Every structure is written in structure tokens, then in C-alpha cells.
PDB file of all heavy atoms in Angstrom:
ATOM      1  N   GLN W   1     -13.522 -12.588  -5.531  1.00 94.00           N
ATOM      2  CA  GLN W   1     -13.428 -12.312  -6.952  1.00 94.00           C
ATOM      3  C   GLN W   1     -13.644 -10.824  -7.290  1.00 94.00           C
ATOM      4  O   GLN W   1     -13.628 -10.470  -8.483  1.00 94.00           O
ATOM      5  CB  GLN W   1     -14.486 -13.171  -7.717  1.00 94.00           C
ATOM      6  CG  GLN W   1     -14.277 -14.631  -7.599  1.00 94.00           C
ATOM      7  CD  GLN W   1     -12.928 -15.115  -8.121  1.00 94.00           C
ATOM      8  OE1 GLN W   1     -12.420 -14.589  -9.114  1.00 94.00           O
ATOM      9  NE2 GLN W   1     -12.342 -16.141  -7.474  1.00 94.00           N
ATOM     10  N   ALA W   2     -13.750 -10.005  -6.263  1.00 96.00           N
ATOM     11  CA  ALA W   2     -14.073  -8.619  -6.512  1.00 96.00           C
ATOM     12  C   ALA W   2     -12.844  -7.784  -6.910  1.00 96.00           C
ATOM     13  O   ALA W   2     -11.706  -8.207  -6.709  1.00 96.00           O
ATOM     14  CB  ALA W   2     -14.673  -7.967  -5.221  1.00 96.00           C
ATOM     15  N   LYS W   3     -13.085  -6.645  -7.450  1.00 97.00           N
ATOM     16  CA  LYS W   3     -12.070  -5.657  -7.689  1.00 97.00           C
ATOM     17  C   LYS W   3     -11.620  -5.160  -6.311  1.00 97.00           C
ATOM     18  O   LYS W   3     -12.405  -4.898  -5.402  1.00 97.00           O
ATOM     19  CB  LYS W   3     -12.637  -4.446  -8.467  1.00 97.00           C
ATOM     20  CG  LYS W   3     -11.582  -3.488  -8.985  1.00 97.00           C
ATOM     21  CD  LYS W   3     -11.165  -3.925 -10.364  1.00 97.00           C
ATOM     22  CE  LYS W   3     -10.342  -2.795 -11.024  1.00 97.00           C
ATOM     23  NZ  LYS W   3      -9.708  -3.313 -12.282  1.00 97.00           N
ATOM     24  N   LYS W   4     -10.270  -5.069  -6.142  1.00 98.00           N
ATOM     25  CA  LYS W   4      -9.691  -4.683  -4.859  1.00 98.00           C
ATOM     26  C   LYS W   4      -8.768  -3.501  -5.083  1.00 98.00           C
ATOM     27  O   LYS W   4      -7.659  -3.661  -5.641  1.00 98.00           O
ATOM     28  CB  LYS W   4      -8.916  -5.910  -4.239  1.00 98.00           C
ATOM     29  CG  LYS W   4      -9.733  -7.134  -4.127  1.00 98.00           C
ATOM     30  CD  LYS W   4      -8.883  -8.346  -3.688  1.00 98.00           C
ATOM     31  CE  LYS W   4      -9.687  -9.627  -3.744  1.00 98.00           C
ATOM     32  NZ  LYS W   4     -10.033 -10.044  -5.139  1.00 98.00           N
ATOM     33  N   ILE W   5      -9.260  -2.340  -4.620  1.00 97.00           N
ATOM     34  CA  ILE W   5      -8.535  -1.136  -4.852  1.00 97.00           C
ATOM     35  C   ILE W   5      -8.320  -0.411  -3.550  1.00 97.00           C
ATOM     36  O   ILE W   5      -9.236  -0.354  -2.680  1.00 97.00           O
ATOM     37  CB  ILE W   5      -9.346  -0.202  -5.871  1.00 97.00           C
ATOM     38  CG1 ILE W   5      -9.233  -0.792  -7.242  1.00 97.00           C
ATOM     39  CG2 ILE W   5      -8.862   1.199  -5.838  1.00 97.00           C
ATOM     40  CD1 ILE W   5     -10.082  -0.025  -8.278  1.00 97.00           C
ATOM     41  N   ALA W   6      -7.161   0.155  -3.371  1.00 97.00           N
ATOM     42  CA  ALA W   6      -6.904   1.132  -2.299  1.00 97.00           C
ATOM     43  C   ALA W   6      -6.186   2.331  -2.912  1.00 97.00           C
ATOM     44  O   ALA W   6      -5.802   2.314  -4.035  1.00 97.00           O
ATOM     45  CB  ALA W   6      -5.957   0.477  -1.230  1.00 97.00           C
ATOM     46  N   VAL W   7      -6.143   3.377  -2.126  1.00 96.00           N
ATOM     47  CA  VAL W   7      -5.574   4.662  -2.659  1.00 96.00           C
ATOM     48  C   VAL W   7      -4.489   5.187  -1.747  1.00 96.00           C
ATOM     49  O   VAL W   7      -4.751   5.306  -0.511  1.00 96.00           O
ATOM     50  CB  VAL W   7      -6.716   5.688  -2.806  1.00 96.00           C
ATOM     51  CG1 VAL W   7      -6.144   7.032  -3.386  1.00 96.00           C
ATOM     52  CG2 VAL W   7      -7.813   5.182  -3.712  1.00 96.00           C
ATOM     53  N   VAL W   8      -3.348   5.477  -2.299  1.00 94.00           N
ATOM     54  CA  VAL W   8      -2.275   6.129  -1.564  1.00 94.00           C
ATOM     55  C   VAL W   8      -2.581   7.652  -1.665  1.00 94.00           C
ATOM     56  O   VAL W   8      -2.655   8.171  -2.749  1.00 94.00           O
ATOM     57  CB  VAL W   8      -0.889   5.837  -2.099  1.00 94.00           C
ATOM     58  CG1 VAL W   8       0.200   6.618  -1.346  1.00 94.00           C
ATOM     59  CG2 VAL W   8      -0.581   4.363  -2.003  1.00 94.00           C
ATOM     60  N   VAL W   9      -2.696   8.315  -0.514  1.00 94.00           N
ATOM     61  CA  VAL W   9      -2.965   9.754  -0.490  1.00 94.00           C
ATOM     62  C   VAL W   9      -1.764  10.492   0.032  1.00 94.00           C
ATOM     63  O   VAL W   9      -1.301  10.219   1.144  1.00 94.00           O
ATOM     64  CB  VAL W   9      -4.201  10.035   0.423  1.00 94.00           C
ATOM     65  CG1 VAL W   9      -4.585  11.534   0.412  1.00 94.00           C
ATOM     66  CG2 VAL W   9      -5.409   9.190   0.004  1.00 94.00           C
ATOM     67  N   VAL W  10      -1.296  11.449  -0.766  1.00 92.00           N
ATOM     68  CA  VAL W  10      -0.174  12.245  -0.431  1.00 92.00           C
ATOM     69  C   VAL W  10      -0.663  13.716  -0.315  1.00 92.00           C
ATOM     70  O   VAL W  10      -1.246  14.223  -1.234  1.00 92.00           O
ATOM     71  CB  VAL W  10       0.939  12.170  -1.499  1.00 92.00           C
ATOM     72  CG1 VAL W  10       2.124  12.998  -1.092  1.00 92.00           C
ATOM     73  CG2 VAL W  10       1.398  10.728  -1.679  1.00 92.00           C
ATOM     74  N   PRO W  11      -0.435  14.397   0.815  1.00 93.00           N
ATOM     75  CA  PRO W  11      -0.897  15.773   0.965  1.00 93.00           C
ATOM     76  C   PRO W  11      -0.405  16.669  -0.142  1.00 93.00           C
ATOM     77  O   PRO W  11       0.655  16.486  -0.704  1.00 93.00           O
ATOM     78  CB  PRO W  11      -0.334  16.169   2.322  1.00 93.00           C
ATOM     79  CG  PRO W  11      -0.193  14.904   3.050  1.00 93.00           C
ATOM     80  CD  PRO W  11       0.236  13.873   2.040  1.00 93.00           C
ATOM     81  N   ALA W  12      -1.205  17.693  -0.446  1.00 91.00           N
ATOM     82  CA  ALA W  12      -0.884  18.605  -1.544  1.00 91.00           C
ATOM     83  C   ALA W  12       0.453  19.254  -1.345  1.00 91.00           C
ATOM     84  O   ALA W  12       1.134  19.590  -2.336  1.00 91.00           O
ATOM     85  CB  ALA W  12      -1.988  19.629  -1.672  1.00 91.00           C
ATOM     86  N   SER W  13       0.850  19.459  -0.105  1.00 87.00           N
ATOM     87  CA  SER W  13       2.112  20.145   0.179  1.00 87.00           C
ATOM     88  C   SER W  13       3.346  19.272  -0.015  1.00 87.00           C
ATOM     89  O   SER W  13       4.478  19.783   0.083  1.00 87.00           O
ATOM     90  CB  SER W  13       2.056  20.732   1.590  1.00 87.00           C
ATOM     91  OG  SER W  13       1.862  19.703   2.489  1.00 87.00           O
ATOM     92  N   HIS W  14       3.173  17.999  -0.213  1.00 85.00           N
ATOM     93  CA  HIS W  14       4.298  17.046  -0.290  1.00 85.00           C
ATOM     94  C   HIS W  14       4.626  16.798  -1.761  1.00 85.00           C
ATOM     95  O   HIS W  14       3.816  16.891  -2.647  1.00 85.00           O
ATOM     96  CB  HIS W  14       3.919  15.728   0.346  1.00 85.00           C
ATOM     97  CG  HIS W  14       3.828  15.775   1.821  1.00 85.00           C
ATOM     98  ND1 HIS W  14       3.185  16.737   2.530  1.00 85.00           N
ATOM     99  CD2 HIS W  14       4.335  14.912   2.796  1.00 85.00           C
ATOM    100  CE1 HIS W  14       3.252  16.532   3.814  1.00 85.00           C
ATOM    101  NE2 HIS W  14       3.954  15.415   4.018  1.00 85.00           N
ATOM    102  N   THR W  15       5.878  16.405  -2.002  1.00 80.00           N
ATOM    103  CA  THR W  15       6.284  15.855  -3.235  1.00 80.00           C
ATOM    104  C   THR W  15       5.933  14.384  -3.253  1.00 80.00           C
ATOM    105  O   THR W  15       5.877  13.742  -2.246  1.00 80.00           O
ATOM    106  CB  THR W  15       7.803  16.025  -3.497  1.00 80.00           C
ATOM    107  OG1 THR W  15       8.474  15.415  -2.442  1.00 80.00           O
ATOM    108  CG2 THR W  15       8.180  17.491  -3.575  1.00 80.00           C
ATOM    109  N   MET W  16       5.695  13.826  -4.437  1.00 76.00           N
ATOM    110  CA  MET W  16       5.265  12.448  -4.536  1.00 76.00           C
ATOM    111  C   MET W  16       6.490  11.562  -4.216  1.00 76.00           C
ATOM    112  O   MET W  16       7.535  11.604  -4.872  1.00 76.00           O
ATOM    113  CB  MET W  16       4.738  12.116  -5.910  1.00 76.00           C
ATOM    114  CG  MET W  16       3.262  12.341  -6.026  1.00 76.00           C
ATOM    115  SD  MET W  16       2.793  14.117  -5.978  1.00 76.00           S
ATOM    116  CE  MET W  16       3.226  14.581  -7.634  1.00 76.00           C
ATOM    117  N   PRO W  17       6.365  10.704  -3.200  1.00 78.00           N
ATOM    118  CA  PRO W  17       7.514   9.870  -2.828  1.00 78.00           C
ATOM    119  C   PRO W  17       7.598   8.640  -3.684  1.00 78.00           C
ATOM    120  O   PRO W  17       6.656   8.177  -4.303  1.00 78.00           O
ATOM    121  CB  PRO W  17       7.119   9.484  -1.341  1.00 78.00           C
ATOM    122  CG  PRO W  17       5.625   9.463  -1.386  1.00 78.00           C
ATOM    123  CD  PRO W  17       5.212  10.547  -2.313  1.00 78.00           C
ATOM    124  N   ASP W  18       8.816   8.076  -3.773  1.00 82.00           N
ATOM    125  CA  ASP W  18       9.054   6.796  -4.374  1.00 82.00           C
ATOM    126  C   ASP W  18       8.743   5.742  -3.315  1.00 82.00           C
ATOM    127  O   ASP W  18       9.335   5.756  -2.242  1.00 82.00           O
ATOM    128  CB  ASP W  18      10.436   6.655  -4.932  1.00 82.00           C
ATOM    129  CG  ASP W  18      10.681   7.605  -6.081  1.00 82.00           C
ATOM    130  OD1 ASP W  18       9.727   7.873  -6.872  1.00 82.00           O
ATOM    131  OD2 ASP W  18      11.813   8.153  -6.164  1.00 82.00           O
ATOM    132  N   MET W  19       7.910   4.752  -3.606  1.00 87.00           N
ATOM    133  CA  MET W  19       7.623   3.727  -2.615  1.00 87.00           C
ATOM    134  C   MET W  19       7.082   2.511  -3.302  1.00 87.00           C
ATOM    135  O   MET W  19       6.621   2.541  -4.443  1.00 87.00           O
ATOM    136  CB  MET W  19       6.644   4.223  -1.584  1.00 87.00           C
ATOM    137  CG  MET W  19       5.235   4.635  -2.086  1.00 87.00           C
ATOM    138  SD  MET W  19       4.134   5.204  -0.806  1.00 87.00           S
ATOM    139  CE  MET W  19       4.908   6.715  -0.308  1.00 87.00           C
ATOM    140  N   GLN W  20       7.184   1.388  -2.610  1.00 92.00           N
ATOM    141  CA  GLN W  20       6.598   0.108  -3.043  1.00 92.00           C
ATOM    142  C   GLN W  20       5.410  -0.125  -2.143  1.00 92.00           C
ATOM    143  O   GLN W  20       5.340   0.240  -0.989  1.00 92.00           O
ATOM    144  CB  GLN W  20       7.648  -0.989  -2.887  1.00 92.00           C
ATOM    145  CG  GLN W  20       8.746  -0.964  -3.921  1.00 92.00           C
ATOM    146  CD  GLN W  20       8.423  -1.780  -5.155  1.00 92.00           C
ATOM    147  OE1 GLN W  20       7.483  -2.545  -5.159  1.00 92.00           O
ATOM    148  NE2 GLN W  20       9.217  -1.593  -6.209  1.00 92.00           N
ATOM    149  N   ALA W  21       4.443  -0.860  -2.679  1.00 94.00           N
ATOM    150  CA  ALA W  21       3.285  -1.333  -1.913  1.00 94.00           C
ATOM    151  C   ALA W  21       3.273  -2.844  -1.842  1.00 94.00           C
ATOM    152  O   ALA W  21       3.691  -3.465  -2.846  1.00 94.00           O
ATOM    153  CB  ALA W  21       1.977  -0.808  -2.529  1.00 94.00           C
ATOM    154  N   TYR W  22       2.871  -3.373  -0.736  1.00 94.00           N
ATOM    155  CA  TYR W  22       2.866  -4.840  -0.528  1.00 94.00           C
ATOM    156  C   TYR W  22       1.566  -5.275   0.092  1.00 94.00           C
ATOM    157  O   TYR W  22       1.045  -4.599   1.023  1.00 94.00           O
ATOM    158  CB  TYR W  22       4.035  -5.287   0.364  1.00 94.00           C
ATOM    159  CG  TYR W  22       5.392  -4.792  -0.047  1.00 94.00           C
ATOM    160  CD1 TYR W  22       5.883  -3.542   0.390  1.00 94.00           C
ATOM    161  CD2 TYR W  22       6.203  -5.531  -0.894  1.00 94.00           C
ATOM    162  CE1 TYR W  22       7.120  -3.087  -0.004  1.00 94.00           C
ATOM    163  CE2 TYR W  22       7.432  -5.118  -1.291  1.00 94.00           C
ATOM    164  CZ  TYR W  22       7.915  -3.900  -0.849  1.00 94.00           C
ATOM    165  OH  TYR W  22       9.171  -3.431  -1.208  1.00 94.00           O
ATOM    166  N   LEU W  23       1.025  -6.406  -0.321  1.00 96.00           N
ATOM    167  CA  LEU W  23      -0.070  -7.038   0.363  1.00 96.00           C
ATOM    168  C   LEU W  23       0.488  -8.194   1.106  1.00 96.00           C
ATOM    169  O   LEU W  23       1.106  -9.117   0.502  1.00 96.00           O
ATOM    170  CB  LEU W  23      -1.137  -7.528  -0.629  1.00 96.00           C
ATOM    171  CG  LEU W  23      -2.336  -8.221  -0.024  1.00 96.00           C
ATOM    172  CD1 LEU W  23      -3.187  -7.242   0.769  1.00 96.00           C
ATOM    173  CD2 LEU W  23      -3.178  -8.919  -1.084  1.00 96.00           C
ATOM    174  N   VAL W  24       0.407  -8.209   2.427  1.00 95.00           N
ATOM    175  CA  VAL W  24       1.021  -9.244   3.264  1.00 95.00           C
ATOM    176  C   VAL W  24      -0.083  -9.861   4.144  1.00 95.00           C
ATOM    177  O   VAL W  24      -1.118  -9.276   4.377  1.00 95.00           O
ATOM    178  CB  VAL W  24       2.182  -8.713   4.137  1.00 95.00           C
ATOM    179  CG1 VAL W  24       3.219  -8.102   3.242  1.00 95.00           C
ATOM    180  CG2 VAL W  24       1.599  -7.631   5.133  1.00 95.00           C
ATOM    181  N   ASP W  25       0.211 -11.105   4.608  1.00 94.00           N
ATOM    182  CA  ASP W  25      -0.752 -11.703   5.559  1.00 94.00           C
ATOM    183  C   ASP W  25      -0.744 -10.897   6.871  1.00 94.00           C
ATOM    184  O   ASP W  25       0.197 -10.128   7.099  1.00 94.00           O
ATOM    185  CB  ASP W  25      -0.427 -13.186   5.793  1.00 94.00           C
ATOM    186  CG  ASP W  25       0.884 -13.364   6.486  1.00 94.00           C
ATOM    187  OD1 ASP W  25       1.938 -13.232   5.750  1.00 94.00           O
ATOM    188  OD2 ASP W  25       0.926 -13.562   7.713  1.00 94.00           O
ATOM    189  N   GLU W  26      -1.749 -11.150   7.724  1.00 91.00           N
ATOM    190  CA  GLU W  26      -1.898 -10.330   8.916  1.00 91.00           C
ATOM    191  C   GLU W  26      -0.620 -10.255   9.785  1.00 91.00           C
ATOM    192  O   GLU W  26      -0.307  -9.232  10.332  1.00 91.00           O
ATOM    193  CB  GLU W  26      -3.068 -10.841   9.754  1.00 91.00           C
ATOM    194  CG  GLU W  26      -3.386  -9.954  10.947  1.00 91.00           C
ATOM    195  CD  GLU W  26      -4.606 -10.453  11.747  1.00 91.00           C
ATOM    196  OE1 GLU W  26      -5.172 -11.500  11.359  1.00 91.00           O
ATOM    197  OE2 GLU W  26      -5.007  -9.756  12.650  1.00 91.00           O
ATOM    198  N   GLN W  27       0.118 -11.401   9.896  1.00 86.00           N
ATOM    199  CA  GLN W  27       1.360 -11.429  10.700  1.00 86.00           C
ATOM    200  C   GLN W  27       2.579 -10.917   9.946  1.00 86.00           C
ATOM    201  O   GLN W  27       3.681 -10.953  10.459  1.00 86.00           O
ATOM    202  CB  GLN W  27       1.561 -12.859  11.191  1.00 86.00           C
ATOM    203  CG  GLN W  27       0.612 -13.312  12.325  1.00 86.00           C
ATOM    204  CD  GLN W  27      -0.803 -13.593  11.812  1.00 86.00           C
ATOM    205  OE1 GLN W  27      -0.966 -14.109  10.731  1.00 86.00           O
ATOM    206  NE2 GLN W  27      -1.758 -13.198  12.645  1.00 86.00           N
ATOM    207  N   ARG W  28       2.372 -10.558   8.648  1.00 78.00           N
ATOM    208  CA  ARG W  28       3.435 -10.005   7.810  1.00 78.00           C
ATOM    209  C   ARG W  28       4.499 -11.051   7.541  1.00 78.00           C
ATOM    210  O   ARG W  28       5.685 -10.710   7.348  1.00 78.00           O
ATOM    211  CB  ARG W  28       4.063  -8.721   8.455  1.00 78.00           C
ATOM    212  CG  ARG W  28       3.085  -7.718   8.925  1.00 78.00           C
ATOM    213  CD  ARG W  28       3.738  -6.433   9.364  1.00 78.00           C
ATOM    214  NE  ARG W  28       2.875  -5.726  10.348  1.00 78.00           N
ATOM    215  CZ  ARG W  28       3.213  -4.548  10.881  1.00 78.00           C
ATOM    216  NH1 ARG W  28       4.344  -3.944  10.504  1.00 78.00           N
ATOM    217  NH2 ARG W  28       2.409  -3.937  11.673  1.00 78.00           N
ATOM    218  N   HIS W  29       4.125 -12.320   7.382  1.00 78.00           N
ATOM    219  CA  HIS W  29       5.084 -13.353   7.052  1.00 78.00           C
ATOM    220  C   HIS W  29       5.222 -13.535   5.582  1.00 78.00           C
ATOM    221  O   HIS W  29       6.371 -13.772   5.097  1.00 78.00           O
ATOM    222  CB  HIS W  29       4.681 -14.684   7.706  1.00 78.00           C
ATOM    223  CG  HIS W  29       4.705 -14.661   9.213  1.00 78.00           C
ATOM    224  ND1 HIS W  29       3.858 -15.436   9.987  1.00 78.00           N
ATOM    225  CD2 HIS W  29       5.438 -13.904  10.076  1.00 78.00           C
ATOM    226  CE1 HIS W  29       4.132 -15.216  11.263  1.00 78.00           C
ATOM    227  NE2 HIS W  29       5.095 -14.256  11.356  1.00 78.00           N
ATOM    228  N   ASP W  30       4.140 -13.447   4.848  1.00 89.00           N
ATOM    229  CA  ASP W  30       4.147 -13.746   3.438  1.00 89.00           C
ATOM    230  C   ASP W  30       3.650 -12.528   2.614  1.00 89.00           C
ATOM    231  O   ASP W  30       2.698 -11.865   3.030  1.00 89.00           O
ATOM    232  CB  ASP W  30       3.303 -14.941   3.131  1.00 89.00           C
ATOM    233  CG  ASP W  30       3.776 -16.215   3.763  1.00 89.00           C
ATOM    234  OD1 ASP W  30       5.020 -16.441   3.793  1.00 89.00           O
ATOM    235  OD2 ASP W  30       2.960 -16.977   4.329  1.00 89.00           O
TER     236      ASP W  30
END
């Protein structure tokens, strides 16, 4: 029931990329 947060870190020298994030099961099936 906790808050679940992660952070995408992009180096200062990079432009911000377009990307999707996914939460998948360990075997990456679902």
C-alpha cells in the first residue's frame, strides 16, 4: 500500500529523450 516512486536520471549533457516506462513481472511476461 506504500507510495512507489522511481526516478529517471538523464545526464546534464543529454537532451531529454522520449520514452515509455513499464512495470513488468520479473520474467517480463506481463
